[in-house]
């Protein structure tokens, strides 16, 4: 099913009430400052009118401030902040949604006016409006990370066409074109560096503040800022498929996928609000049958207090804000969650299963050892091997061809492939065999016994019917592979498993080196899937699988949380996964778990705070021990404390 695009302005349900800029660089003469002032003007006007009215009431300084004059004054103070809420409540009723927070506020304040408590009626709406302004400001601050990504999206590219570099829209640049990036400019598309080296600020993509030094032929990502010298890049992806575009799409869509806690609170509020209304009605009329000195006005006042304190504002606003803050904090750290539900899911993981190649290793083969047993010098021996491997497209052949051998290049002729064994051909007038042990054995060539104990991939060479030597090929571990395993354990994850399609001996060696609990190699995609399905059947087991290839897609989809490498990972794996590690660093898994736990902790702190305070004040209000002023301050205060608590996520650091 195609995911719905989410507009940034739709991320907050109350966005229509105003978006507030806090840029220090603007003064009140700017359009942004003028817009902000207009947003705050109703609350300022009501506040001044309310304070003036209370002062006149208290000091009795104006004799005629009574009767209709007093009513009109407080009504004028009420309308700027009260009318938008009443209008919103009325619109909700027209849509069939009677019991909303707007409905509660409207009944409570109109009721206060009906019994002559005009200042309190105005105060309820005023503080509610102030709370809304704080909420909007907090949401806008939480959006800062996504807005920073929007700012990081390049709007032009210098592409080499018709003998010169011309400025064009990045969306028109095709794969394989050469682009130029000047100092201080953003790289507009993903590509390969053509220049000898580059120093890049990749904070918008990876979350790393330290500049990255990139060598020739290495990958560069759109949104990175060039820090030193003019560089040239060959594009490898279209603009719509670039890293920055993918991040924006995923983070924006993530806000549409709610967590179970968030969905529960929304459903709870729809049930809770009508219950509160009927309890308030009961609190007004039922005491008539049980209290001797029943006074309608007193019990109505208690019911109005009950309504004010019962507003679910703190829950409905602060919980989505908490999850939104978690998503933003994760994206700032180079981790993309496809929804708030996966922030929760990360906190429950107790088993991590990982692929090997491209996940904990770099996925780039390199020569580990050259063993020359021929009469030739090593350089000449390698020339024979390289001449044969030039005819192959295998990744191992590419690793061998990177070897720097002195002397004139040799050329292979009459090369033929022996299925499942290797190559046979002629180099410099000599018959050359390149491949595995089976190729040597089938041609009656004796292989030294020392090769039997070699774990790494091995390429054997025979020249003119005699064993000439071999080369071992190994994949390098990522720099943070050891750190990743250590931090995953420190995060409290009890079991780490490696499943790989590479041969079992190599998988076991890597597993032993990294101190992984259990490993298995030589697996097909369906074998990995079966292993994970068996793990999930074990009681109290929540499985996260981390991989990067097309063959990992089935198991990424089947695991409780699928984690894909965002840089080296295939598009299929990235599309299937629930969490994307944009930096390709396995150590980010532990950080993702910590961010999920911090988010969940703050959400539950807000739930506990809101319910705890509300229950206490509800009891006091029903018993006549709390006034509407206390109810207002308790409701707005709880909401503001919950918002400030949620905003803490934006400043947290996770090692």
């Amino acid at each position: 099913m195609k995911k719905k695009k989410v507009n940034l302005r739709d991320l907050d349900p109350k966005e229509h009430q105003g978006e507030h800029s806090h840029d220090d660089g603007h003064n009140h003469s700017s359009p942004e400052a003028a817009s902000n002032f207009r947003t705050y003007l109703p609350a300022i006007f009501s506040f001044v009118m309310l304070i003036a009215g209370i002062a006149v009431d208290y000091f009795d300084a104006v004799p005629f401030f009574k009767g209709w004059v007093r009513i009109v004054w407080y009504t004028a103070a009420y309308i700027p902040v009260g009318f938008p809420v009443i209008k919103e409540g009325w619109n909700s009723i027209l849509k069939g949604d009677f019991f909303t927070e707007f409905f509660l506020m409207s009944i409570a304040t109109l009721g206060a006016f009906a019994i002559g408590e005009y200042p309190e009626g105005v105060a309820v709406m005023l503080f509610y409006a102030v709370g809304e302004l704080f909420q909007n400001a907090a949401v806008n601050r939480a959006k800062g990370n996504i807005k920073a990504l929007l700012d990081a999206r390049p709007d032009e590219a210098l592409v080499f066409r018709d003998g010169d570099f011309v400025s064009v829209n990045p969306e028109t640049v095709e794969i394989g074109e050469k682009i130029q990036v000047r100092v201080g400019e953003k790289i507009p598309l993903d590509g390969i560096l053509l220049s000898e080296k580059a120093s890049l600020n990749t904070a918008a993509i990876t979350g790393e503040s330290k500049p990255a030094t990139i060598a020739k032929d290495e990958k560069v990502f759109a949104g990175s800022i060039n820090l030193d010298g003019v560089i040239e890049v060959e594009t490898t992806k279209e603009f719509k498929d670039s890293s920055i575009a993918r991040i924006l799409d995923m983070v924006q869509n993530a806000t549409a996928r709610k967590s179970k806690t968030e969905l529960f609170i929304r459903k709870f509020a729809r049930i809770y609000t009508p219950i509160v209304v009927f309890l308030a009605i009961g609190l007004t009329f039922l005491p008539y049958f049980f209290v001797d000195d029943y006074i309608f006005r007193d019990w109505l006042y208690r019911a109005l207090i009950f309504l004010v304190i019962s507003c679910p504002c703190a829950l409905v606003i602060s919980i989505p804000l908490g999850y939104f803050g978690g998503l933003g904090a994760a994206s700032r750290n180079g981790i993309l969650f496809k929804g708030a539900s996966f922030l929760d899911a990360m906190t429950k993981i107790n088993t991590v299963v990982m692929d090997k190649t491209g996940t904990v290793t770099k996925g780039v083969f390199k020569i580990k050892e050259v063993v020359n047993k021929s009469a030739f010098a090593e350089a000449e021996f390698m020339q024979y091997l390289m001449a044969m491997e030039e005819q192959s497209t295998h990744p191992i052949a590419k690793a061998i061809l990177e070897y720097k051998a002195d002397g004139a290049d040799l050329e292979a002729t009459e090369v033929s492939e022996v299925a499942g064994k290797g190559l046979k051909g002629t180099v410099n007038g000599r018959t050359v065999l390149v491949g595995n042990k089976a190729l040597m054995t089938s041609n009656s060539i004796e292989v030294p016994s020392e090769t039997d104990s070699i774990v790494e991939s091995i390429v054997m060479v025979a020249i003119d019917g005699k064993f000439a030597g071999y080369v071992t090929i190994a994949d390098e571990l990522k720099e943070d592979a050891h750190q990743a395993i250590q931090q995953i354990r420190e995060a409290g994850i009890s079991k780490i498993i490696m499943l790989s399609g590479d041969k079992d001996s190599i998988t076991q060696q890597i597993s032993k080196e990294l101190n992984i609990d259990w490993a298995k190699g030589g697996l097909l995609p369906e074998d990995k899937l079966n292993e994970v399905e068996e793990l999930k059947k074990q009681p109290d087991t929540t499985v996260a699988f981390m991989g990067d290839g097309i063959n990992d897609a089935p198991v990424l989809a089947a695991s409780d949380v699928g984690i894909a490498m965002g840089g080296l990972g295939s598009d299929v794996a990235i599309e299937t996964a629930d969490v994307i590690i944009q930096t390709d660093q396995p150590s980010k898994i532990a950080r993702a778990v910590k961010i999920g736990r911090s988010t969940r902790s703050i959400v539950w702190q807000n739930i506990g705070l809101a319910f705890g305070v509300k229950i206490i004040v509800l009891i006091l209000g029903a018993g006549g021990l709390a006034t509407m002023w206390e109810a207002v301050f308790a409701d707005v205060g709880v909401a503001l404390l919950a918002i400030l608590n949620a905003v803490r996520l934006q400043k947290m650091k996770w090692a």
Side-chain angles (χ1 to χ4, degrees):
M1 185 175 73
K2 190 173 182 180
K3 291 182 287 187
K4 178 186 176 184
K5 292 269 186 177
V6 180
N7 187 286
L8 279 174
R9 290 187 61 81
D10 294 333
L11 297 178
D12 176 31
K14 297 181 179 58
E15 191 69 39
H16 62 276
Q17 293 184 15
E19 191 168 320
H20 316 299
S21 170
H22 297 280
D23 297 335
D24 294 334
H26 295 297
N27 56 40
H28 284 288
S29 63
S30 68
E32 293 88 348
S35 176
N36 284 344
F37 183 73
R38 285 195 296 270
T39 301
Y40 295 120
L41 189 58
I44 294 171
F45 176 82
S46 292
F47 176 76
V48 171
M49 293 285 286
L50 176 63
I51 295 300
I54 292 174
V56 172
D57 276 339
Y58 184 79
F59 293 107
D60 198 19
V62 181
F64 60 85
F65 193 71
K66 297 175 181 176
W68 286 105
V69 173
R70 188 167 181 263
I71 294 173
V72 170
W73 181 273
Y74 283 115
T75 301
Y78 177 88
I79 289 174
V81 289
F83 179 73
V85 176
I86 295 174
K87 182 181 177 183
E88 194 69 39
W90 177 251
N91 289 337
S92 298
I93 291 172
L94 293 178
K95 294 175 184 176
D97 191 4
F98 283 81
F99 299 106
T100 62
E101 60 188 277
F102 308 108
F103 180 69
L104 289 183
M105 302 301 290
S106 299
I107 291 179
T109 54
L110 293 175
F113 265 71
I115 60 174
E117 300 291 346
Y118 310 122
E120 295 181 11
V122 175
V124 170
M125 283 301 190
L126 174 60
F127 287 114
Y128 179 78
V130 170
E132 289 294 289
L133 292 174
F134 272 98
Q135 289 161 11
N136 286 335
V139 169
N140 288 335
R141 184 172 181 177
K143 289 178 183 177
N145 294 310
I146 298 177
K147 289 182 178 179
L149 289 174
L150 282 169
D151 292 338
R153 184 170 51 187
D155 52 12
E156 68 172 352
L158 285 176
V159 61
F160 190 76
R161 291 176 181 171
D162 299 324
D164 195 12
F165 285 100
V166 293
S167 179
V168 300
N169 189 315
E171 295 181 7
T172 66
V173 179
E174 297 179 359
I175 295 173
E177 289 197 278
K178 182 166 69 173
I179 57 175
Q180 186 183 81
V181 186
R182 298 165 183 159
V183 178
E185 291 182 348
K186 299 160 191 167
I187 297 176
L189 298 100
D190 290 0
I192 300 293
L193 183 66
L194 298 177
S195 304
E196 288 302 316
K197 66 175 182 178
S199 179
L200 304 177
N201 178 348
T202 62
I205 308 300
T206 65
E208 302 295 332
S209 56
K210 183 181 177 182
T213 301
I214 310 296
K216 185 177 181 179
D217 295 331
E218 289 187 344
K219 289 184 176 182
V220 295
F221 298 110
S224 302
I225 300 173
N226 181 24
L227 300 176
D228 184 23
V230 177
I231 61 172
E232 293 181 356
V233 174
E234 180 182 323
T235 60
T236 56
K237 290 183 180 179
E238 294 180 358
F239 182 77
K240 62 183 176 65
D241 297 322
S242 65
S243 299
I244 194 74
R246 192 167 64 202
I247 292 172
L248 286 167
D249 181 64
M250 288 181 180
V251 176
Q252 287 180 344
N253 279 313
T255 58
R257 303 176 74 168
K258 309 297 183 185
S259 70
K260 289 183 179 179
T261 307
E262 195 172 346
L263 292 172
F264 168 76
I265 290 298
R266 289 185 179 277
K267 291 178 181 177
F268 172 81
R270 290 186 176 278
I271 299 170
Y272 162 87
T273 306
I275 291 175
V276 164
V277 172
F278 288 118
L279 286 175
I281 294 171
L283 186 61
T284 304
F285 296 105
L286 288 179
Y288 173 80
F289 300 100
F290 305 101
V291 177
D292 294 332
D293 55 344
Y294 173 80
I295 301 173
F296 173 77
R297 185 187 180 283
D298 290 348
W299 287 100
L300 175 60
Y301 183 68
R302 294 187 188 186
L304 296 177
I305 294 171
F306 192 86
L307 287 177
V308 172
I309 196 59
S310 298
C311 273
C313 313
L315 294 172
V316 173
I317 293 297
S318 67
I319 291 171
L321 179 60
Y323 281 110
F324 191 73
L327 292 170
S331 69
R332 193 178 65 243
N333 282 270
I335 305 163
L336 305 179
F337 285 87
K338 289 188 178 178
S341 57
F342 303 118
L343 274 167
D344 276 346
M346 284 299 292
T347 66
K348 301 172 185 175
I349 292 169
N350 52 31
T351 302
V352 169
V353 181
M354 56 181 65
D355 179 40
K356 180 184 74 66
T357 307
T359 302
V360 295
T361 67
K362 294 180 179 179
V364 179
F365 291 99
K366 289 193 175 182
I367 293 175
K368 185 175 182 181
E369 185 181 18
V370 176
V371 179
N372 177 23
K373 293 183 176 292
S374 71
F376 305 108
E378 181 179 308
E380 191 173 358
F381 164 74
M382 288 300 296
Q383 287 284 9
Y384 278 93
L385 173 56
M386 292 165 69
M388 293 291 291
E389 292 292 7
E390 280 183 345
Q391 310 298 315
S392 174
T393 58
H394 196 280
I396 287 179
K398 184 179 178 181
I400 292 172
L401 292 173
E402 289 180 356
Y403 183 89
K404 305 298 183 184
D406 297 330
D409 292 340
L410 300 177
E411 186 176 347
T413 58
E414 301 174 1
V415 177
S416 60
E417 184 175 352
V418 182
K421 297 179 181 180
L423 301 171
K424 181 178 182 180
T426 302
V427 180
N428 201 24
R430 302 176 186 275
T431 301
V432 180
L433 297 172
V434 173
N436 56 23
K437 186 176 181 179
L439 179 64
M440 301 294 129
T441 303
S442 64
N443 284 274
S444 303
I445 295 170
E446 187 176 348
V447 178
S449 59
E450 68 188 68
T451 61
D452 295 336
S453 60
I454 294 174
V455 174
E456 295 87 0
S457 298
I458 183 170
V459 178
M460 299 181 182
V461 183
I463 301 175
D464 284 340
K466 293 182 180 179
F467 188 81
Y470 59 88
V471 173
T472 58
I473 306 292
D475 190 3
E476 286 185 286
L477 282 173
K478 289 182 177 176
E479 287 81 359
D480 67 329
H482 288 279
Q483 178 189 358
I485 302 303
Q486 179 184 346
Q487 290 183 349
I488 289 170
R489 293 196 188 283
E490 289 173 355
I493 294 171
S494 58
K495 189 181 293 183
I496 305 174
I497 296 168
M498 179 180 287
L499 301 176
S500 176
D502 205 347
K503 64 180 186 179
D504 191 59
S505 59
I506 296 176
T507 304
Q508 297 299 337
Q509 182 194 36
I510 296 293
S511 171
K512 186 177 180 181
E513 187 175 348
L514 292 175
N515 193 28
I516 288 173
D517 298 321
W518 181 71
K520 192 171 184 180
L523 300 175
L524 296 171
E526 54 266 33
D527 298 327
K528 290 184 183 180
L529 181 61
N530 291 336
E531 292 287 349
V532 169
E533 292 286 7
E534 287 300 316
L535 281 170
K536 288 176 66 179
K537 291 178 183 177
Q538 297 178 11
D540 301 320
T541 299
T542 305
V543 179
F545 180 86
M546 179 171 60
D548 71 310
I550 294 175
N551 61 337
D552 293 326
V555 68
L556 283 168
S559 57
D560 295 304
V561 181
I563 305 170
M565 297 289 110
L568 289 173
S570 72
D571 290 341
V572 175
I574 291 168
E575 182 66 27
T576 307
D578 308 312
V579 182
I580 314 298
I581 307 295
Q582 187 66 22
T583 60
D584 279 346
Q585 295 173 291
S587 57
K588 289 290 179 85
I589 292 181
R591 192 173 299 183
V593 171
K594 291 174 183 177
I595 291 173
R597 288 175 180 169
S598 296
T599 303
R600 193 179 186 196
S601 174
I602 280 178
V603 166
W604 281 103
Q605 286 169 17
N606 286 347
I607 291 173
L609 174 70
F611 276 118
V613 173
K614 283 180 181 293
I615 288 171
I616 291 170
V617 181
L618 280 172
I619 294 170
L620 293 175
L625 301 176
T627 68
M628 193 175 289
W629 288 103
E630 289 160 335
V632 169
F633 283 116
D635 180 49
V636 175
V638 168
L640 293 181
L641 284 174
I643 290 166
L644 292 173
N645 194 34
V647 169
R648 282 197 305 128
L649 277 167
Q650 302 301 309
K651 295 186 177 181
M652 283 187 178
K653 303 288 184 184
W654 296 271

